[in-house]
Amino acid sequence: MSALLLVIAAVISLYIGLNRWLAAVLLLAAAGLGWVLDAGHWLNFVTTTLALLAALILIPSPLRRHLLSTPLLGWVRGRLPKLSDTETQALEAGSVDWDGELFSGRPDWDHLLELPHPTLTTEERAFLDGPTQTLCAMLDDWEITQELYDLPQEAWSFIRKNGFFGLVIDKAYGGLGFSNTAHSEIVMKIASRGVSAAVTVMVPNSLGPGELITHYGTETQKNYYLPRLASGEEIPCFALTSPVAGSDAGAIPDYGVICRGQWQGQDVLGMKVTFNKRYITLAPVATLIGLAIKVYDPDKLLAEDAELGVTCVMIPCATEGVNQGARHLPMNTVFMNGPVWGSDVFIPLEQVIGGPDMIGMGWKMLLECLSIGRSISLPALGTSASKMACLTTGSYAAVREQFGRSISEFEGVQEAMEPMAGYTYMMDAARVFTSGMLDRGVKPSVPSAILKYRNTDLMRDVVNHAMDVIAGRGVISGPRNFMSRIYSAIPIAITVEGANILTRSLMIFGQGAIRCHPYILSEIEAANNEDTQAGISQFDSVFYAHLGHTGRNVVRSLVLGLSGARLQAVPSNGQLQPYYRQLSRFSSVFSVMTDVSLLTLGGALKARQRFTGRMADALVHQYYASATIKQWHEEGYPEHMRDIVEWGLQRSLFDLQSALYEAIRNYPVKALRWPLMIMAFPLGQRLQAPSDDLGARVAMSIVTCGPTKERLVSGVYIDEDTTDAVGRVINALRLAQETRPARDRINKAIRKAGAAELQDIELLLGHQQEELLDWAIEHDLISTDERALVSEAMVAMYDVIRVDAFDADGIKALAECSKDKLVPVVRPSDAPMT
């Protein structure tokens, strides 16, 4: 009995999470009760020894520090990952929010539901409904990408005049001072009309001189540059990517050397900057370049150190020695993009963002601002593309008929549309959830990486499914094609602002495991503390709490796995208890896996990118499920969205289960695979993907007009003009629905017709629409009053399936549009070799 009592006491202490004193008392009491029940059995000596040892570990004391903490710290130093200066700055930048809850193993769901939810002000809503709507109406994506190779001049003027370049600049400096959520909504709406226009607007408002000056600039810099940036008098770009340093921004070869030189006729202290950058958005039209460089001071004019670190500077494009090259064309989208370079370009120290005191602080500045930009721009673009895919493809599937029925009724088509609808809601929920963090003052370094990676990846899935549904209609270029430009832009979103492969395999879990863990960062600091006694004291204060944290999550994982997570208390809101419980269970498993990996793999974790990628996936699925729950909660749990929400949660949990299973099955330390598998999946993999019945209902949500479809596509620009690619489909869907009973009667009669009569009908179907309608009236299938509307519907439905065709003169005209507009890029002799 003594052994059983001690085990029960330990399990209760760990599962409930008793504080150290109560846990010690409970363990000692269990050992004491064992003496009474077992009457001096030899196991009493063992259990008492174990209880006393546990008490020694639990209760802080000089004895614990001397006997345990000092030797343990030496061992831990060799196991914890070593952090470079760049990694240390990355961990110090940004802040932790809901991602920390997921790493804890015990997410507080009530806290999630209580978090403030972002809303738009009256002014922000008016801007979306007014200037943003007007700008969208000015854009013709076919004309922009095939004829102008640029936005129309009136669009450029409108963007400047209406403050689109100053969305997030404070009103005191001439900007609009909008929230991050409003910024996201505006970009999403513009992107639904054209990627080129969306990128043009979003770049000055995300990472760039404007945002860096707002957060770090001197008052002089703010007063001079921010009004000019807000009005569009200055067009900014930020040059980060070098030919030999893409995703590894910490390896930038561009540099500045501190020296004296001439600036506006005066001899001043500054630096000569040499740089070579490519893929820089807005570079061809920029007037102000933001630049990340490494600064050196060989003559020690500023400090004793010759290497001063990564620094952010501003260089006016008119400065002598600055070169702006010919344009890149990213996947034939035509937002301004190109290289910039310069050799020994002199600028004064006042051009350092934040002034001379901020020299060497550039990497931290960039990381903090990247977490903002990556949370807004590309996630909004990806969500926009998915919403438009749902709007157009669902409508097309409803209108397109084969074998006398809408193709939306075919299960194969529904199988493609199902994830389109489900993923789009999840993407939108995660977008709003993360922008809400920004509006609360959070700098979400890990969530921003999650959102950029997942939203652009799901964009690819959704758009690919859409192309499968519309088939040949989607591959013929022309102004009628509503998917081709979105499809072409997918690789851009996947690649920029951190390539998705590296974001998934290195950043999300690699940073999150340390940044979001409740104890690891403190332990690393203790291990690196040069004051030995202070390091031991700091380590002693967190290591045993870490042990308790890990043990608690091991017990929780096993108990919840065996009980189907039924022992977990969760909110009852929305009747989502089964999903809360499974998410809690897998959060515990995820937390244990994090701890075990940091302990066993240590510094080798960065090289195990298949493993870290799967762990990143596990975190992603938890995050998106959380965002889905939060979004439905804020919407008031409308019942018409239940199928979409439950599909998203079931899909997330199934994928979460698969990611953790594969991570354990392939765990780098083979001896730990079975223990981890038993802890995580004591009853095997029990969760299932969404059923076919649920999937069919979700698929039809983007086919049938109603509140569900309206919610899924909310926030995009919808042009009902029948000369517009999207407007054609919307108009055809409206007419098809209005005439559905009449057309069903005609189709039913055709299917029942005899062989001789069917031969005559087939002749009528050969584009002899009016004759077919005459036949329908003759057989009392439609009335004369219905004829005109049915005829209009049939014309519109046929118009939707038409594709563009260009005769020889048309092809020649397109060729003339691009002639002499694209020039080969030749590296001038003064461009630096890197």
Side-chain angles (χ1 to χ4, degrees):
M1 288 297 295
S2 58
L4 180 61
L5 286 172
L6 190 65
V7 170
I8 292 173
V11 169
I12 292 174
S13 299
L14 287 169
Y15 187 82
I16 296 176
L18 292 179
N19 71 54
R20 65 188 70 180
W21 291 97
L22 287 176
V25 169
L26 182 61
L27 291 170
L28 291 172
L33 183 59
W35 281 94
V36 175
L37 296 175
D38 287 343
H41 192 279
W42 66 269
L43 274 176
N44 292 135
F45 295 95
V46 176
T47 55
T48 301
T49 301
L50 291 174
L52 289 171
L53 181 60
L56 174 64
I57 293 173
L58 288 169
I59 307 303
S61 66
L63 184 63
R64 185 178 79 172
R65 283 197 297 272
H66 177 70
L67 292 180
L68 298 178
S69 300
T70 300
L72 276 173
L73 179 58
W75 178 78
V76 166
R77 279 196 178 105
R79 306 305 306 167
L80 290 175
K82 301 294 189 297
L83 302 179
S84 66
D85 291 341
T86 299
E87 290 171 322
T88 300
Q89 290 185 52
L91 292 172
E92 291 174 350
S95 45
V96 177
D97 197 76
W98 183 249
D99 44 327
E101 291 281 343
L102 298 176
F103 272 95
S104 74
R106 297 185 70 181
D108 185 342
W109 300 112
D110 289 319
H111 174 64
L112 172 71
L113 300 183
E114 292 166 1
L115 286 171
H117 193 68
T119 56
L120 300 181
T121 65
T122 302
E123 183 182 7
E124 291 168 344
R125 176 57 61 188
F127 190 87
L128 268 169
D129 296 338
T132 307
Q133 184 84 359
T134 302
L135 174 61
C136 288
M138 298 170 67
L139 304 173
D140 181 332
D141 207 42
W142 174 260
E143 177 188 55
I144 289 169
T145 58
Q146 301 297 323
E147 299 173 9
L148 299 177
Y149 283 83
D150 194 1
L151 303 183
Q153 284 304 308
E154 57 268 28
W156 276 105
S157 299
F158 188 85
I159 288 170
R160 285 189 172 98
K161 180 180 178 181
N162 287 274
F164 282 91
F165 286 152
L167 295 176
V168 297
I169 293 176
D170 193 272
K171 290 183 177 181
Y173 300 103
L176 296 177
F178 284 170
S179 65
N180 294 286
T181 300
H183 178 192
S184 176
E185 294 284 342
I186 291 165
V187 169
M188 183 174 72
K189 189 166 191 173
I190 298 172
S192 69
R193 192 61 175 164
V195 171
S196 298
V199 174
T200 300
V201 169
M202 74 191 190
V203 166
N205 289 290
S206 55
L207 178 63
E211 188 174 13
L212 290 168
I213 294 170
T214 295
H215 292 287
Y216 308 106
T218 65
E219 286 304 313
T220 299
Q221 290 170 346
K222 292 179 181 179
N223 290 328
Y224 179 77
Y225 281 113
L226 292 182
R228 296 164 67 87
L229 290 166
S231 67
E233 183 179 352
E234 295 274 10
I235 301 295
C237 69
F238 194 87
L240 184 59
T241 305
S242 297
V244 296
S247 295
D248 186 8
I252 54 175
D254 314 281
Y255 62 91
V257 179
I258 301 295
C259 62
R260 301 195 69 86
Q262 292 292 312
W263 180 261
Q264 298 178 351
Q266 296 184 350
D267 182 73
V268 297
L269 185 62
M271 67 179 78
K272 286 185 178 180
V273 180
T274 297
F275 60 99
N276 182 20
K277 304 288 190 179
R278 66 176 178 181
Y279 309 151
I280 310 305
T281 300
L282 293 185
V285 295
T287 62
L288 181 67
I289 301 171
L291 194 65
I293 58 173
K294 292 180 178 177
V295 175
Y296 301 92
D297 187 9
D299 296 329
K300 300 185 178 178
L301 299 175
L302 288 179
E304 289 301 313
D305 293 330
E307 298 185 13
L308 302 184
V310 176
T311 301
C312 294
V313 301
M314 300 173 289
I315 304 179
C317 292
T319 305
E320 183 179 356
V322 172
N323 298 276
Q324 293 165 276
R327 291 170 59 185
H328 304 312
L329 282 183
M331 296 303 294
N332 209 40
T333 53
V334 297
F335 58 86
M336 292 293 170
N337 188 278
V340 290
W341 66 91
S343 181
D344 290 336
V345 178
F346 182 80
I347 57 172
L349 293 185
E350 66 188 42
Q351 294 301 116
V352 173
I353 297 177
D357 291 342
M358 296 301 288
I359 291 175
M361 300 297 293
W363 189 234
K364 181 179 180 181
M365 293 162 61
L366 288 174
L367 289 168
E368 290 184 343
C369 286
L370 271 171
S371 72
I372 297 174
R374 298 176 87 213
S375 299
I376 295 174
S377 54
L378 290 173
L381 191 152
T383 306
S384 176
S386 295
K387 284 174 177 276
M388 290 303 293
C390 287
L391 172 67
T392 55
T393 305
S395 301
Y396 178 86
V399 170
R400 182 74 165 106
E401 294 183 346
Q402 292 281 274
F403 311 108
R405 62 165 64 178
S406 164
I407 65 170
S408 65
E409 299 174 23
F410 299 164
E411 288 191 358
V413 173
Q414 291 176 359
E415 192 174 12
M417 294 192 298
E418 170 189 338
M420 291 176 61
Y423 284 152
T424 296
Y425 186 81
M426 294 167 65
M427 293 167 69
D428 199 33
R431 176 187 67 86
V432 175
F433 184 45
T434 312
S435 70
M437 290 183 187
L438 294 170
D439 288 336
R440 288 189 277 111
V442 177
K443 295 178 180 177
S445 55
V446 174
S448 69
I450 291 173
L451 190 66
K452 187 274 171 182
Y453 156 64
R454 186 60 171 168
N455 261 29
T456 56
D457 200 50
L458 289 181
M459 168 193 179
R460 173 166 52 188
D461 282 353
V462 170
V463 173
N464 280 337
H465 283 306
M467 293 293 284
D468 286 347
V469 173
I470 62 177
R473 176 68 175 79
V475 300
I476 304 301
S477 293
R480 289 175 174 271
N481 195 320
F482 48 77
M483 288 303 301
S484 62
R485 304 310 312 154
I486 297 175
Y487 183 79
S488 297
I490 290 173
I492 302 171
I494 296 292
T495 302
V496 302
E497 290 190 14
N500 275 11
I501 288 177
L502 294 184
T503 300
R504 172 182 178 266
S505 61
L506 285 176
M507 292 182 61
I508 293 175
F509 182 70
Q511 286 190 22
I514 298 174
R515 185 72 184 87
C516 302
H517 196 284
Y519 303 108
I520 286 291
L521 197 55
S522 296
E523 289 170 344
I524 291 175
E525 291 173 354
N528 293 328
N529 196 327
E530 295 181 358
D531 185 330
T532 303
Q533 291 304 313
I536 293 172
S537 179
Q538 183 181 4
F539 178 77
D540 183 79
S541 68
V542 296
F543 179 72
Y544 303 99
H546 186 175
L547 284 181
H549 165 82
T550 303
R552 180 169 59 249
N553 280 317
V554 168
V555 170
R556 281 173 51 81
S557 298
L558 186 58
V559 170
L560 293 176
L562 289 169
S563 66
R566 293 180 182 85
L567 300 179
Q568 177 66 42
V570 295
S572 60
N573 312 56
Q575 297 179 336
L576 297 176
Q577 295 95 322
Y579 305 110
Y580 281 121
R581 290 179 179 131
Q582 292 297 336
L583 285 168
S584 295
R585 169 198 165 196
F586 283 125
S587 176
S588 292
V589 174
F590 178 78
S591 181
V592 173
M593 291 289 293
T594 300
D595 282 334
V596 171
S597 301
L598 289 170
L599 180 65
T600 60
L601 301 178
L605 190 63
K606 288 182 284 188
R608 299 290 187 173
Q609 293 174 20
R610 289 180 185 268
F611 172 76
T612 58
R614 291 179 179 121
M615 291 296 287
D617 289 342
L619 180 59
V620 163
H621 300 316
Q622 293 177 79
Y623 187 83
Y624 273 67
S626 302
T628 299
I629 290 171
K630 174 65 172 173
Q631 185 64 40
W632 199 38
H633 171 75
E634 296 299 332
E635 292 172 356
Y637 302 104
E639 195 61 27
H640 66 266
M641 294 302 297
R642 178 174 292 278
D643 283 342
I644 298 285
V645 170
E646 293 205 355
W647 186 95
L649 294 176
Q650 290 177 26
R651 183 79 252 176
S652 293
L653 282 168
F654 180 75
D655 291 341
L656 170 57
Q657 173 185 256
S658 298
L660 289 172
Y661 181 85
E662 289 301 316
I664 295 172
R665 188 173 73 88
N666 295 280
Y667 194 71
V669 182
K670 293 183 179 180
L672 292 176
R673 290 177 182 176
W674 279 110
L676 289 172
M677 194 68 77
I678 292 170
M679 174 209 67
F681 301 102
L683 301 179
Q685 298 183 77
R686 305 296 295 272
L687 301 184
Q688 301 295 318
S691 69
D692 288 350
D693 287 342
L694 176 59
R697 296 197 300 271
V698 169
M700 293 305 290
S701 68
I702 62 173
V703 174
T704 307
C705 291
T708 304
K709 184 172 183 177
E710 289 175 5
R711 169 59 188 88
L712 286 175
V713 304
S714 62
V716 298
Y717 177 82
I718 301 176
D719 189 343
E720 297 190 8
D721 185 346
T722 56
T723 64
D724 178 78
V726 175
R728 284 190 179 95
V729 184
I730 302 302
N731 178 61
L733 176 61
R734 177 182 62 81
L735 291 170
Q737 289 183 325
E738 290 176 0
T739 60
R740 180 67 180 267
R743 290 184 300 102
D744 281 349
R745 291 195 296 272
I746 295 173
N747 288 330
K748 184 177 180 180
I750 291 173
R751 288 194 293 269
K752 288 185 175 181
E757 188 178 21
L758 185 59
Q759 186 175 3
D760 293 335
I761 294 172
E762 288 174 347
L763 293 175
L764 295 177
L765 291 175
H767 300 303
Q768 304 299 317
Q769 176 181 305
E770 295 306 315
E771 288 84 348
L772 177 62
L773 294 178
D774 289 340
W775 176 85
I777 290 175
E778 181 182 334
H779 288 74
D780 295 324
L781 299 174
I782 62 172
S783 67
T784 54
D785 292 338
E786 290 176 306
R787 177 181 181 131
L789 190 59
V790 172
S791 177
E792 183 183 2
M794 293 175 70
V795 169
M797 292 168 69
Y798 180 72
D799 185 59
V800 163
I801 66 174
R802 290 178 59 195
V803 296
D804 296 287
F806 302 91
D807 57 20
D809 290 339
I811 295 293
K812 184 177 180 181
L814 286 176
E816 287 294 328
C817 287
S818 61
K819 186 177 181 180
D820 297 328
K821 289 188 178 180
L822 308 181
V823 297
V825 178
V826 178
R827 189 182 70 84
S829 59
D830 61 346
M833 294 292 292
T834 56

